[in-house]
Amino acid sequence: MAGTKMASKVPVIVFSEECTKPGTSSWAEACKVMAQALEDHGCFIVDHPGVPLGLHDSVLSVTENLFDLPPETKIKNTNFKPPLGSVDTAPGSPLIDGIEKLQECEKYTFLMWPSGNGHFWDYKAVHDYGKFIAEMEKVVFRMVCESYGVEKYYDPYIDSSTYLLRFLKCKKPEGVEGSVNSIEHTDKSFLSYLHQNNIRGLEVRTKDGEWFTFNPSASNFMVMAGEACVAWSNGRIKACDHGVAVKEESQVRYSLGTFSYVTGMIETPKEFIDEAHPQQYKSFNHIDLLSY
Ligand SMILES: O=C(O)CCC(=O)C(=O)O
Ligand SMILES: [Fe+2]
């Protein structure tokens, strides 16, 4: 299949140059695979050959440095955004709200490292990562809009969407039998993008109810629909049920959860509504959903 490979039940879409060009046959094929995967499992994997060289290593190295900071430093971040995802949302868990904006990355970095130990590269790496995800969302959302014939909603959505990055750390303590599990949940984001180091852990529930383990790599991103996307699509798209189960002992799993959300109202396009599909969700403010 052009631009896509079915390595597993959760499809992998290769974001090659050809595939990310609207109008090509691989673009059309990817649109189909993406919409079907979102309806079936609420997720798909993007294998992105265009990840800038070194971005994966540099952003994970910032993640490690952040977790090495003392709790009294981490707690200085008073942005207790209600959870967009559901894992490790304790005060002080590192997060940057508005990762696509350089000044937000800068502000957070200086809050964490006020003595400034030459951390320009850190916030630059984090910001580059944010920009990269925001660009990926542009392709993903354009494909989604095209699949459902709702292209006119693309611009207003992209103009009002923003990205929250949560850094996550999980380690299975020595001597514990089985795996260390997080709770199974769906996110409240519009879309979530999960990327991580090489310690496996992320599991998603597929259409048939089985758990699928994400195989991490520097170029792989799990893209999941959150509850806001379900409401927007009038229930056509499913929210991805997922959790984290770390089985490898003494290994530290670092992951980056980027959650897109809209600063404003989520409204179901009328194209999703007809007699057979009556409107299921009233318009709502996305921020209100987060505190619900
Ligand atoms: O660590 C992960 O890969 C998953 C995190 C997650 O599901 C969340 O924060 O909502
Ligand atoms: Fe989540």
Side-chain angles (χ1 to χ4, degrees), residues 52-174:
L53 199 68
L55 185 62
H56 170 84
D57 290 343
S58 54
V59 84
L60 278 160
S61 131
V62 176
T63 311
E64 277 184 48
N65 294 341
L66 275 172
F67 280 102
D68 285 345
L69 290 170
E72 61 273 21
T73 303
K74 283 188 271 191
I75 209 101
K76 282 190 200 156
N77 185 18
T78 49
N79 187 342
F80 301 133
K81 196 117 208 138
L84 277 144
S86 283
V87 177
D88 189 15
T89 51
S93 87
L95 71 83
I96 303 176
D97 196 4
I99 187 88
E100 73 284 7
K101 298 176 203 117
L102 182 65
Q103 67 277 23
E104 291 302 323
C105 301
E106 193 177 2
K107 214 166 71 190
Y108 181 73
T109 313
F110 285 116
L111 193 63
M112 293 299 109
W113 289 284
S115 52
N117 299 316
H119 286 289
F120 168 72
W121 291 111
D122 288 345
Y123 70 76
K124 169 120 180 32
V126 168
H127 175 57
D128 284 349
Y129 183 77
K131 279 194 300 187
F132 178 76
I133 297 285
E135 284 306 310
M136 195 183 331
E137 171 137 317
K138 284 187 187 158
V139 176
V140 168
F141 194 62
R142 194 179 283 285
M143 285 184 171
V144 168
C145 285
E146 212 178 291
S147 303
Y148 293 107
V150 293
E151 292 90 337
K152 67 170 183 253
Y153 302 98
Y154 172 83
D155 283 331
Y157 170 82
I158 291 294
D159 290 347
S160 64
S161 61
T162 182
Y163 303 84
L164 180 140
L165 171 63
R166 196 178 283 284
F167 301 86
L168 299 142
K169 177 181 180 177
C170 178
K171 183 179 175 208
K172 182 180 155 183
E174 276 164 51

Side-chain angles (χ1 to χ4, degrees), residues 84-87 166 168 185 187 194 196 202 224 242 244 253 255 259:
L84 277 144
S86 283
V87 177
R166 196 178 283 284
L168 299 142
H185 66 280
D187 294 344
L194 295 173
Q196 57 159 99
L202 176 63
M224 307 188 307
H242 61 283
V244 177
R253 176 177 182 272
S255 62
F259 306 96

